[in-house]
Amino acid sequence: MEGEIQSGVIMDLLKSWQPGLAAFGLQLAAAVLILVIGLKVVNMIRRMIARSFEKIDMELSLRRFLLSLIQFVLYGIVIFMAAERLGVKSSSIIALFGSAGLTVGLALQGSLSNFAGGILILVMRPFKVGDYIVCEDGEGTVSMIGLVYTVLQTADNQRTVIPNGSLSNSPLTNVTAQEKRRVDIRVGIGYSSDLKKAKSIMEKIYREHPMILRDEPIDVFVDELGDSAVMLGGRGWTETDNYWRTRWDILEAVKIAFDEAGIEIPFQQLDVHMISNMKEETERS
């Protein structure tokens, strides 16, 4: 008798729950359908955006980051829609994401500054991998541009890691941004040396150097009348990759040619007059 009563109670409960269970089942099925279709749509959108980024030749690091960010946002929208279909209030989801975002932001203030700097560098492109840059924190060839740090390879093969926040908020010089550079040198000669001859020698060295561009102007001029020397200046253009080799060659050639022509390159001198027995000399006078 008791068993029959318990069975009847269970059946009554199931009957009372049936409308709710059916409604929940429909909501669950709709949420799963939203997830399945939504994920397929997200993947399709991601592929379309990826092809667009490739066509405009976007930086690889920035491309990967933006694709991941877009995919994350789209996934969040799909999950948000599915959760709302199950009856989860949208205000609760927004509050949860807001508090989580605030907590992460406060914990990662410095990293977020570097992250924002990395985005600016990748978007604005003040330099790219392979460029030689000079900044407050060092100089070298850019070997990697990350979202948080940029890595430089120095001339003596050291690795310098610089936060992107520092690079994006301070002046820097991209030495190799242009295809050609001007080779400037300054050489001092003695006041008694033949000025016209020295200028002629410097101009000849510039014009005969194989790495100096022939279609660019070459100038040799008096740059300054110093205390102990007449400063001559020379200017010519070369390809950026050949800059240092060309500069070193011209400096060496000028020194050798001036020595052969008897043109003095003065150096700083200090004349010291020794006065002995200063007191005795003063008394005699």
Side-chain angles (χ1 to χ4, degrees), residues 146-158:
L147 291 174
V148 180
Y149 297 99
T150 291
V151 180
L152 305 183
Q153 202 76 18
T154 64
D156 56 348
N157 204 32
Q158 296 186 50

Side-chain angles (χ1 to χ4, degrees), residues 15-89:
K15 288 180 180 180
S16 63
W17 290 352
Q18 188 173 1
L21 290 174
F24 179 76
L26 290 174
Q27 290 178 341
L28 182 61
V32 171
L33 186 62
I34 290 173
L35 284 175
V36 172
I37 297 176
L39 294 180
K40 290 183 178 181
V41 172
V42 168
N43 291 331
M44 183 177 65
I45 294 175
R46 186 184 184 281
R47 287 194 295 269
M48 292 173 58
I49 296 175
R51 286 195 294 268
S52 301
F53 287 167
E54 290 178 1
K55 288 181 180 179
I56 63 176
D57 193 25
M58 182 180 289
E59 181 76 28
L60 181 60
S61 300
L62 179 60
R63 187 192 313 169
R64 289 175 177 173
F65 165 72
L66 289 179
L67 287 174
S68 299
L69 179 62
I70 292 171
Q71 188 174 17
F72 175 78
V73 172
L74 292 176
Y75 280 163
I77 293 173
V78 172
I79 294 173
F80 180 84
M81 294 172 61
E84 194 173 24
R85 192 73 182 109
L86 287 174
V88 180
K89 293 183 179 181

Side-chain angles (χ1 to χ4, degrees), residues 268-283:
Q268 288 188 348
Q269 302 182 52
L270 179 65
D271 294 333
V272 180
H273 300 276
M274 302 296 295
I275 301 177
S276 60
N277 299 325
M278 182 181 296
K279 184 177 181 180
E280 293 180 4
E281 293 293 334
T282 304
E283 290 176 352

Side-chain angles (χ1 to χ4, degrees), residues 32-258:
V32 171
L33 186 62
I34 290 173
L35 284 175
V36 172
I37 297 176
L39 294 180
K40 290 183 178 181
V41 172
V42 168
N43 291 331
M44 183 177 65
I45 294 175
R46 186 184 184 281
R47 287 194 295 269
M48 292 173 58
I49 296 175
R51 286 195 294 268
S52 301
F53 287 167
E54 290 178 1
K55 288 181 180 179
I56 63 176
D57 193 25
M58 182 180 289
E59 181 76 28
L60 181 60
S61 300
L62 179 60
R63 187 192 313 169
R64 289 175 177 173
F65 165 72
L66 289 179
L67 287 174
S68 299
L69 179 62
I70 292 171
Q71 188 174 17
F72 175 78
V73 172
L74 292 176
Y75 280 163
I77 293 173
V78 172
I79 294 173
F80 180 84
M81 294 172 61
E84 194 173 24
R85 192 73 182 109
L86 287 174
V88 180
K89 293 183 179 181
S90 58
S91 58
S92 302
I93 300 176
I94 294 173
L96 178 63
F97 278 108
S99 60
L102 179 61
T103 303
V104 173
L106 292 175
L108 301 174
Q109 287 183 5
S111 298
L112 289 176
S113 173
N114 293 329
F115 177 78
I119 297 299
L120 287 175
I121 291 172
L122 291 170
V123 171
M124 304 304 296
R125 292 189 177 184
F127 54 84
K128 62 182 184 299
V129 173
D131 285 346
Y132 191 96
I133 65 172
V134 179
C135 62
E136 294 180 353
D137 297 319
E139 62 179 275
T141 302
V142 180
S143 61
M144 188 195 75
I145 303 174
L147 291 174
V148 180
Y149 297 99
T150 291
V151 180
L152 305 183
Q153 202 76 18
T154 64
D156 56 348
N157 204 32
Q158 296 186 50
R159 190 181 187 191
T160 303
V161 180
I162 302 176
N164 286 333
S166 174
L167 283 176
S168 63
N169 292 314
S170 60
L172 63 86
T173 301
N174 189 338
V175 177
T176 55
Q178 305 298 325
E179 295 181 356
K180 59 186 178 181
R181 287 186 67 185
R182 195 176 69 187
V183 182
D184 292 3
I185 66 169
R186 295 178 77 243
V187 180
I189 65 172
Y191 274 91
S192 59
S193 298
D194 189 333
L195 176 60
K196 293 184 178 180
K197 186 176 182 180
K199 289 178 63 179
S200 176
I201 290 172
M202 283 186 63
E203 185 174 354
K204 181 180 179 183
I205 290 172
Y206 266 99
R207 295 196 181 280
E208 293 182 353
H209 196 283
M211 294 182 185
I212 292 293
L213 301 177
R214 299 290 183 269
D215 55 346
E216 296 292 340
I218 294 175
D219 298 314
V220 176
F221 49 90
V222 176
D223 190 48
E224 181 185 355
L225 299 177
D227 294 334
S228 58
V230 178
M231 302 302 300
L232 299 183
R235 291 176 177 174
W237 293 83
T238 187
E239 294 180 1
T240 300
D241 293 340
N242 299 329
Y243 174 80
W244 286 110
R245 175 52 56 192
T246 304
R247 177 177 171 81
W248 296 334
D249 288 349
I250 290 177
L251 285 172
E252 182 178 345
V254 167
K255 175 63 170 69
I256 294 173
F258 278 10

